[in-house]
């Protein structure tokens, strides 16, 4: 009997346990669209002034928004007094919201991750006001409550002490959820991110793929939306943002 045969039952149990630990994804939308707050088909040369640079590099070209991570490694600043860390490319949109439906087309062009993020720069208990996000990768979708999880300043401080690992793990429990998907490079997908109260649901091409309920998602004032790309390039197109209300239960 080979090692794969011996391990197969344990791998199956592990996978089943992992799936059982994930939140159940609602089959139907959790949000109903209200008024349209923002729309950009990315065509032409003039674009809404609410778009703005956050982290290089984004450009409008070929009737789409192209993001490419150019801060690929840590480097000293020009004055040599600090370190500019590697970071995904990020483009911001000043559209204040609370509950929303965001629809945007995404296409991986060599990149490893694309995401939709919500921030509140006035919120000081999380790094840079990060609240929550939906990260899309070719093999998985992760929803993250950053306000109460990875970007919470108390947790970030605790992480500096290896002896606090167990405490950090307890605080991080339930603050993110990762679901498997199977996507392809250079294929366009329509991604919908719904936030209602403290819940976020993600669907791709009409299929629900991820869900999380966590306090940070329910932050009252999401002052801006950000789009991110890590790795090589990724394309965004036809973004729409609606105010939302909780979907009526039938």
């Amino acid at each position: 009997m080979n090692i794969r045969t011996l391990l197969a039952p344990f791998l199956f149990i592990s996978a089943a346990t992992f799936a059982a630990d994930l939140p159940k994804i609602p089959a139907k939308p959790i949000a109903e669209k209200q008024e349209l707050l923002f729309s950009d088909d990315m065509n032409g040369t003039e674009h809404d002034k609410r778009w703005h640079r956050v982290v290089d590099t984004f450009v409008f070209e070929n009737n789409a928004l192209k993001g490419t991570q150019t801060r690929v490694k840590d480097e000293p600043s020009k004055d040599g007094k600090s370190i500019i860390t590697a970071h995904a490319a990020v483009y911001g949109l000043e559209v204040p919201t609370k509950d929303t439906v965001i629809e945007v087309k995404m296409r991986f062009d060599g990149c490893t991750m694309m995401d939709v993020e919500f921030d509140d720069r006035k919120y000081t208990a999380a790094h840079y006001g990060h609240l929550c996000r939906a990260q899309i990768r070719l093999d998985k979708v992760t929803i993250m409550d950053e306000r109460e999880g990875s970007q919470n300043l108390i947790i970030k401080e605790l992480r500096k002490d290896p002896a606090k690992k167990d405490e950090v793990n307890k605080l991080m429990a339930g603050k993110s959820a990762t679901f498997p998907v199977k996507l392809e490079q250079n294929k366009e997908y329509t991604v919908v991110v719904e936030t209602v109260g403290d819940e976020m649901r993600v669907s791709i091409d009409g299929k629900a793929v991820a869900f999380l309920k966590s306090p940070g998602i329910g932050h009252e004032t999401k002052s801006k939306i950000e789009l991110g790309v890590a790795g090589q390039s990724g394309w965004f197109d036809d973004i729409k943002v609606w105010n939302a209300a909780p979907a009526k239960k039938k």
Side-chain angles (χ1 to χ4, degrees):
M1 185 178 291
N2 62 36
I3 189 67
R4 288 187 179 181
T5 303
L6 287 169
L7 289 176
F10 298 98
L11 293 173
F12 177 79
I13 291 170
S14 178
T17 302
F18 177 74
D21 290 339
L22 288 172
K24 183 179 179 180
I25 304 173
K28 296 181 179 180
I30 61 173
E32 290 186 356
K33 298 173 183 175
Q34 304 294 302
E35 68 271 28
L36 182 66
L37 299 177
F38 184 85
S39 177
D40 192 343
D41 62 9
M42 313 296 186
N43 295 338
T45 58
E46 296 295 322
H47 298 279
D48 197 294
K49 300 302 182 183
R50 287 173 287 181
W51 285 116
H52 60 279
R53 170 191 174 276
V54 181
V55 180
D56 292 333
T57 299
F58 272 84
V59 293
F60 287 99
E61 63 181 45
N62 299 326
N63 294 324
L65 177 63
K66 180 183 180 181
T68 306
Q69 182 181 6
T70 50
R71 278 174 50 178
V72 295
K73 62 180 180 179
D74 294 355
E75 295 182 341
S77 60
K78 291 182 179 180
D79 60 11
K81 295 181 179 180
S82 61
I83 296 295
I84 300 173
T85 58
H87 201 289
V90 182
Y91 211 51
L93 181 59
E94 293 284 355
V95 178
T97 65
K98 181 180 179 291
D99 296 335
T100 57
V101 175
I102 297 177
E103 179 180 299
V104 63
K105 293 178 181 177
M106 295 184 182
R107 177 168 65 87
F108 287 74
D109 187 8
C111 66
T112 57
M113 185 281 295
M114 302 179 72
D115 71 4
V116 175
E117 177 186 347
F118 297 91
D119 290 343
D120 178 2
R121 291 288 188 265
K122 293 182 179 180
Y123 184 73
T124 60
H127 174 67
Y128 213 46
H130 292 320
L131 301 174
C132 54
R133 73 175 69 201
Q135 289 187 331
I136 317 297
R137 291 182 171 83
L138 295 176
D139 62 347
K140 58 191 174 185
V141 173
T142 301
I143 298 177
M144 304 168 66
D145 173 357
E146 296 182 300
R147 192 194 78 177
E148 302 300 309
S150 62
Q151 300 303 310
N152 181 280
L153 294 184
I154 293 174
I155 292 177
K156 288 176 76 70
E157 188 63 29
L158 289 172
R159 276 180 161 165
K160 295 177 182 178
D161 183 354
K164 302 290 186 180
K165 183 178 179 180
D166 289 343
E167 184 177 353
V168 169
N169 289 340
K170 288 180 181 179
L171 292 170
M172 288 289 293
K175 302 305 187 298
S176 68
T178 298
F179 298 78
V181 296
K182 190 174 182 180
L183 306 178
E184 301 174 19
Q185 290 279 355
N186 294 305
K187 181 177 179 180
E188 189 173 75
Y189 297 95
T190 299
V191 176
V192 175
V193 179
E194 305 167 70
T195 56
V196 173
D198 58 0
E199 299 180 343
M200 182 185 292
R201 177 181 181 267
V202 178
S203 59
I204 298 177
D205 287 350
K207 179 183 178 181
V209 296
F211 174 80
L212 181 67
K213 180 182 176 69
S214 191
I217 297 172
H219 191 82
E220 286 291 320
T221 306
K222 300 174 179 71
S223 62
K224 65 188 305 183
I225 297 163
E226 294 184 339
L227 304 179
V229 175
Q232 298 179 35
S233 297
W235 298 80
F236 295 93
D237 201 357
D238 292 336
I239 187 171
K240 296 180 178 66
V241 181
W242 290 271
N243 258 338
K248 297 176 182 177
K249 295 181 179 180
K250 299 180 179 179

